[in-house]
Amino acid sequence: MTTATSRPIATRRERWAWYLYDFGNSAYAAVVLLAVYSAYFQGKVIGGAEGSRLWGLAVGIAMLFVAVTSPILGAIADFSGAKKRFLLFCTAMSVLFTAGLFFATPGNVLIGMGFFILAEIGYRSAQVFYNGLLPEIAAPEEMGRVSGYGWAIGTAGGIICLVLILPLIMFLGDTFADDTFIVRLSLVITAVFWAISAAPIFLWLTERAEAKSLPPGENYLSVAFKQLRGTIRKAGRFKEFVKYMLAFLVYNDGVIMALDFAAIIGAVIFGLDQQMLIIFVIIVQVTNVVGAYL
């Protein structure tokens, strides 16, 4: 006997569209968070211990905002069958403000910090809707493999973007009167790289979730809060899972903060310059690709 399923199987092109989004998304992580902008913000835009403090504050503001809004927006996107639309908005927001970091010249704290916070909110929020599309392109028994491939291919995107940027910084970094121009230009290149890589997911991937009808007297916001309350009540029945999730949040946030400060630690404590930071991150990312794929 065969079991019927109403969920269409994703095409190879749809899965590659999903992979390619991570390919561009990881370029943002590699350049903005890991290798380039964090160290530039700390050392050039602000400088000294205050640069490190404000970087941590900016990351914290963005993460707190996403932590509060993501459960609500995620519930709305699920109910309305609009994950791709939310993904498009958050991606466009992050791409726009990543490119805008070109204007974060030394001393321009408002743009340097404000645009980064907005780019980071878009980046982190987009991941919620991107991950939400995984069950629509992979059956439960395939999710681990598809997710692992996505991680590996995505990380490769970060490496390629860094490889594109490295020669510019090595050979053209000192040719302009403004010695920050090439570093700032690398952020525009990253934004374009991400936008191009993200395009297939909006063009090729069909969202299979259908919008549900709103109950009388309800709106999407009220329905989202009701769904959240229901989820929280049901979670109490799975105590081990709740403990796991809390432990994961604490552990994973520690990992994220270590990564977000990696370039600053390398520059301040170990004296790595911009070229060395990029090379170091490329080496780390290569091992990341291999590990995720395996």
Side-chain angles (χ1 to χ4, degrees), residues 8-272:
I9 298 173
T11 65
R12 182 181 180 87
R13 188 171 77 161
E14 286 180 311
R15 287 190 178 177
W16 269 101
W18 193 81
Y19 297 151
L20 285 172
Y21 183 88
D22 205 343
F23 189 81
N25 167 292
S26 295
Y28 169 91
V31 175
V32 176
L33 299 176
L34 291 178
V36 178
Y37 186 70
S38 56
Y40 170 74
F41 176 88
Q42 188 275 335
K44 295 288 188 178
V45 177
I46 310 295
E50 184 67 0
S52 299
R53 186 184 74 83
L54 290 181
W55 176 254
L57 180 62
V59 171
I61 290 172
M63 291 179 67
L64 180 62
F65 181 89
V66 173
V68 172
T69 59
S70 286
I72 301 167
L73 294 178
I76 293 173
D78 284 338
F79 192 86
S80 62
K83 288 191 283 288
K84 276 182 63 176
R85 276 176 278 173
F86 278 89
L87 179 64
L88 176 60
F89 176 82
C90 293
T91 302
M93 174 181 171
S94 190
V95 166
L96 176 65
F97 286 105
T98 298
L101 291 174
F102 175 82
F103 301 103
T105 51
N108 197 333
V109 181
L110 183 61
I111 287 180
M113 192 171 175
F115 280 19
F116 166 72
I117 290 172
L118 293 170
E120 182 74 354
I121 288 173
Y123 165 72
R124 298 286 177 191
S125 297
Q127 289 180 323
V128 174
F129 308 111
Y130 170 73
N131 292 335
L133 290 169
L134 177 60
E136 299 192 23
I137 64 167
E141 65 273 11
E142 298 177 299
M143 285 187 186
R145 176 170 54 83
V146 172
S147 178
Y149 286 168
W151 191 288
I153 293 168
T155 304
I159 295 172
I160 290 172
C161 194
L162 289 173
V163 169
L164 291 175
I165 289 168
L166 182 59
L168 297 178
I169 292 177
M170 288 179 64
F171 302 116
L172 298 178
D174 298 327
T175 59
F176 293 87
D178 179 0
D179 62 355
T180 69
F181 176 79
I182 293 297
V183 170
R184 292 185 292 113
L185 180 63
S186 71
L187 299 164
V188 178
I189 294 170
T190 301
V192 173
F193 187 96
W194 186 6
I196 293 172
S197 300
I201 201 171
F202 303 110
L203 298 174
W204 298 347
L205 194 149
T206 301
E207 186 168 356
R208 289 157 173 79
E210 296 182 358
K212 301 180 180 69
S213 299
L214 284 170
E218 298 281 4
N219 56 52
Y220 284 124
L221 195 59
S222 64
V223 168
F225 277 110
K226 283 186 177 180
Q227 286 192 348
L228 285 174
R229 284 196 295 270
T231 300
I232 292 170
R233 284 197 297 269
K234 291 177 183 177
R237 306 174 195 168
F238 306 97
K239 293 182 180 179
E240 291 303 311
F241 177 73
V242 171
K243 286 192 288 184
Y244 166 75
M245 288 302 297
L246 290 173
F248 173 80
L249 286 173
V250 174
Y251 178 83
N252 193 54
D253 282 354
V255 171
I256 290 173
M257 292 308 297
L259 291 173
D260 287 348
F261 275 89
I264 294 175
I265 292 170
V268 174
I269 297 180
F270 298 103
L272 300 180

